[in-house]
Amino acid sequence: MSGPDLSLVLPAYDCASFIAGNVTRALATFDERQIAGEVVVADDGSTDGTADAVAPAPNVRILRLPHRGKGGALRAGMAAATGEVRAFTDADLPYGLEPVLAGATRIRAGHAHAVIGDRTLPGSRYESSSLRRAMSALANAAFRGLSPGGAYDTQCGLKCFRGDVAAEVFRLARVDGFAIDIEVLLLLRRYGLVIERVPVRLEAVGKTSVHMLRDSVTAARDVAAIRVAWGRGRYRSPALERIGAAGPGPEAAPAEVPPTDLSGDAPGLPGGAPGAP
């Protein structure tokens, strides 16, 4: 029996007030677009009953995890996901679901191994505090230091992957905190996987679990550890070497393409009826 077309992983911490509504929204969108989808809620040791707020369902997985951070929740969520495409975004769905659907469509069509949101692209709409912008700028600079020539909005909380890519990348990942975004992009870049970017439009601003000073210090430590681990060969992956060499599909597009236009309705995923291989 084949898996779903799309797995949506939501790393969640103290989200009881809104997580059930957003899971319902995702499932309704899948149904409306005739997508065989699942939602994986990775509860990162919440103290407010986040996991209990989500009603069990055949296409909903609820992971009750010890509190480790976004990276720990994402690794567990991606390990549990079974979709042909596996995506994650923040539990408050800050950019809605259209960029997820657009990314999944590009990946299933064979144009990319991964599609990431980028708040700097034309067509994006995003506002944040000066402190958050500074934190993002530092994270992007840290990524360029690890992977020269790579200019990405590393901290945009929306990323989609081909299923086999997600399985291997998150198996290799080791960061528990917010620097996992940098770690994941480094692996994609270093193994020559095709990355596309899509603009995102801020729709909702939920409660944040980010503590700027503490998390910035932790992220800096994690980036240093990533550099050491890469130098020592701890990210060695014959599987990603094969995937990168093969390309994303028979009609692969260049790594940098014009941003997907998300101004209209995103189509359902290609491939026929829900659940079609």
Side-chain angles (χ1 to χ4, degrees), residues 15 37 52 54 60 68 70 143 159 222 237 247 256 258 274 277:
C15 301
D52 294 327
V54 181
V60 176
R68 301 187 68 175
K70 176 183 177 181
F143 177 73
K159 295 178 175 65
D222 288 340
S237 174
E256 294 296 338

Side-chain angles (χ1 to χ4, degrees), residues 2-17:
S2 62
D5 298 331
L6 174 62
S7 296
L8 178 62
V9 176
L10 301 178
Y13 180 73
D14 284 355
C15 301
S17 63

Side-chain angles (χ1 to χ4, degrees), residues 47-198:
T47 60
D48 68 345
T50 290
D52 294 327
V54 181
N59 51 352
V60 176
R61 300 184 183 208
I62 304 167
L63 308 181
R64 300 172 185 268
L65 307 169
H67 181 56
R68 301 187 68 175
K70 176 183 177 181
L74 281 178
R75 289 200 308 274
M78 287 293 179
T82 59
E84 181 181 343
V85 176
R86 302 170 194 178
F88 74 80
T89 190
D90 297 334
D92 57 346
L93 303 183
Y95 312 113
L97 294 165
E98 298 299 340
V100 174
L101 302 184
T105 298
R106 294 293 292 176
I107 291 169
R108 294 193 79 221
H111 294 293
H113 293 105
V115 176
I116 66 173
D118 192 321
R119 297 166 294 184
T120 69
L121 289 178
S124 289
R125 183 178 66 242
Y126 183 81
E127 295 180 5
S128 64
S129 67
S130 57
L131 194 57
R132 277 183 173 274
R133 290 195 297 271
M135 188 175 178
S136 290
L138 287 172
N140 295 340
F143 177 73
R144 289 193 297 272
L146 290 171
S147 181
Y152 296 104
D153 180 9
T154 63
Q155 301 311 108
C156 181
L158 189 151
K159 295 178 175 65
C160 308
F161 312 85
R162 204 172 75 183
D164 56 343
V165 172
E168 182 65 2
V169 164
F170 285 91
R171 182 190 71 81
L172 293 170
R174 49 211 301 133
V175 169
D176 282 336
F178 290 96
I180 191 168
D181 291 275
I182 295 174
E183 183 180 36
V184 165
L185 280 174
L186 174 68
L187 291 170
L188 295 174
R189 285 270 303 175
R190 288 294 183 97
Y191 282 103
L193 275 66
V194 177
I195 306 169
E196 288 189 1
R197 302 176 295 155
V198 294

